């Protein structure tokens, strides 16, 4: 795809995702579990990430695709200086109302507002799967760009054989909302993260929970310091 066509395509699918999450935002906020009620492995991974970013002494942590901000607030409770970024203005409205002391911004992980090397951490918690796989190198490249050397990424997503799924219903009994989701094998995600420069420090694979078909992978990855870079 030439750059102009790619830009148009990118705009169209981001608009569609934004519109769908705007439609379901209130239902989603009711539906999604409080992180404190998540399974022990998910909480352990979030705790490990929190410890890594707080002990690094680097900049703040962006929760990209933060939705209603529950995980942003959970990280804050673990001592992380966290803020949220989401494509959906409705989600950001709900996040601000629920957590008035925290910072939430409308934005896209395809082009983050943060400057080069400004952040100590990036969390992408079930938020990267709406992006077509061809765009992941750019998005992972954005994560790498905004992290300070020595900064940490936690990426949590469902995995599967390369597939594209279109779902037309929302959360709860809200209005119909189309969602495109793309699943990749964990090895493919690891390869793409390493290709932009990340060093993967830990990986967990969790069996699908009840009612789900796909396992969940969590990657902890680090941007090497200048001294460590190859
Ligand atoms: C399944 S929800 C997860 C929300 C939150 N991380 C949580 O676990 O509660 C996915 C979120 O990612 C956001 N999102 C999707 N594509 C995005 C993009 N390109 N940039 C920023 N946010 C995005 C959606 O608006 C939605 O709020």
């Amino acid at each position: 795809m030439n750059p102009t066509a790619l830009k148009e395509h990118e705009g169209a699918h981001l608009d569609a995702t934004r519109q769908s999450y705007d439609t379901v935002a209130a239902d989603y906020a009711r539906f999604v579990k409080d992180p404190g009620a998540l399974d022990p492995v998910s909480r352990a991974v979030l705790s490990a990430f929190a410890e890594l970013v707080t002990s690094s002494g680097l900049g703040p942590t962006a929760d990209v695709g933060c939705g209603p901000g529950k995980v942003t607030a959970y990280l804050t409770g673990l001592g992380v200086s966290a803020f949220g970024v989401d494509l959906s203005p409705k989600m950001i409205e709900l996040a601000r109302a629920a957590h008035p002391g925290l910072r939430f911004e409308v934005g896209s992980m395809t082009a983050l507002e943060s400057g080069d090397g400004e952040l100590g951490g990036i969390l992408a918690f079930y938020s990267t799967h709406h992006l077509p796989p061809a765009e992941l190198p750019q998005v992972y490249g954005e994560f790498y760009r905004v992290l300070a050397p020595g900064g940490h990424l936690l990426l949590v997503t469902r995995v599967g054989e390369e597939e594209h799924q279109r779902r037309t219903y929302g959360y709860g009994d809200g209005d119909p909302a189309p969602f495109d989701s793309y699943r990749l094998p964990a090895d493919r995600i690891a390869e793409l993260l390493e290709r932009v420069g990340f060093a993967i420090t830990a990986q967990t694979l969790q069996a699908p929970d009840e009612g789900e078909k796909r396992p969940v992978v969590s990657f902890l990855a680090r941007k090497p310091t200048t001294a460590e870079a190859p």
Side-chain angles (χ1 to χ4, degrees):
M1 215 180 274
N2 71 47
T4 314
L6 178 65
K7 199 84 219 136
E8 279 167 11
H9 167 75
E10 206 182 75
H13 80 72
L14 288 184
D15 284 351
T17 302
R18 179 187 296 111
Q19 219 173 330
S20 290
Y21 272 108
D22 271 352
T23 305
V24 304
D27 281 332
Y28 182 84
R30 276 191 296 270
F31 159 91
V32 73
K33 273 188 193 162
D34 193 82
L38 287 171
D39 63 277
V41 176
S42 300
R43 282 185 286 115
V45 169
L46 285 168
S47 292
F49 174 67
E51 190 174 336
L52 287 166
V53 293
T54 50
S55 65
S56 74
L58 297 168
T61 289
D63 176 5
V64 296
C66 63
K70 294 189 183 188
V71 186
T72 325
Y74 186 72
L75 283 183
T76 306
L78 295 176
V80 177
S81 165
F83 67 98
V85 177
D86 202 280
L87 195 56
S88 154
K90 275 273 178 228
M91 285 290 197
I92 292 299
E93 209 179 290
L94 291 172
R96 285 177 179 154
H99 311 287
L102 300 184
R103 185 174 129 214
F104 293 98
E105 295 164 3
V106 176
S108 175
M109 65 181 88
T110 53
L112 291 166
E113 294 284 320
S114 301
D116 297 358
E118 237 176 48
L119 304 183
I122 293 265
L123 171 67
F125 202 69
Y126 297 94
S127 59
T128 53
H129 57 286
H130 298 301
L131 293 156
E135 287 175 31
L136 290 178
Q138 182 204 332
V139 170
Y140 295 170
E142 272 296 272
F143 295 169
Y144 191 87
R145 178 185 70 75
V146 296
L147 276 178
H152 296 273
L153 165 71
L154 172 58
L155 172 63
V156 180
T157 189
R158 294 194 181 281
V159 289
E161 285 316 305
E162 212 151 321
E163 60 175 311
H164 173 201
Q165 212 189 9
R166 172 159 270 230
R167 202 177 99 169
T168 52
Y169 54 91
Y171 290 87
D173 46 20
D175 297 323
F179 286 99
D180 285 303
S181 295
Y182 302 85
R183 303 297 174 187
L184 291 179
D187 289 356
R188 181 85 186 111
I189 296 172
E191 190 188 320
L192 293 173
L193 288 172
E194 285 171 343
R195 202 176 291 169
V196 300
F198 280 110
I200 293 170
T201 51
Q203 178 180 342
T204 65
L205 187 66
Q206 287 174 255
D209 31 40
E210 220 181 304
E212 289 286 351
K213 286 189 296 210
R214 295 170 191 79
V216 172
V217 73
S218 301
F219 284 107
L220 279 165
R222 185 165 175 269
K223 177 170 174 171
T225 60
T226 330
E228 294 161 345

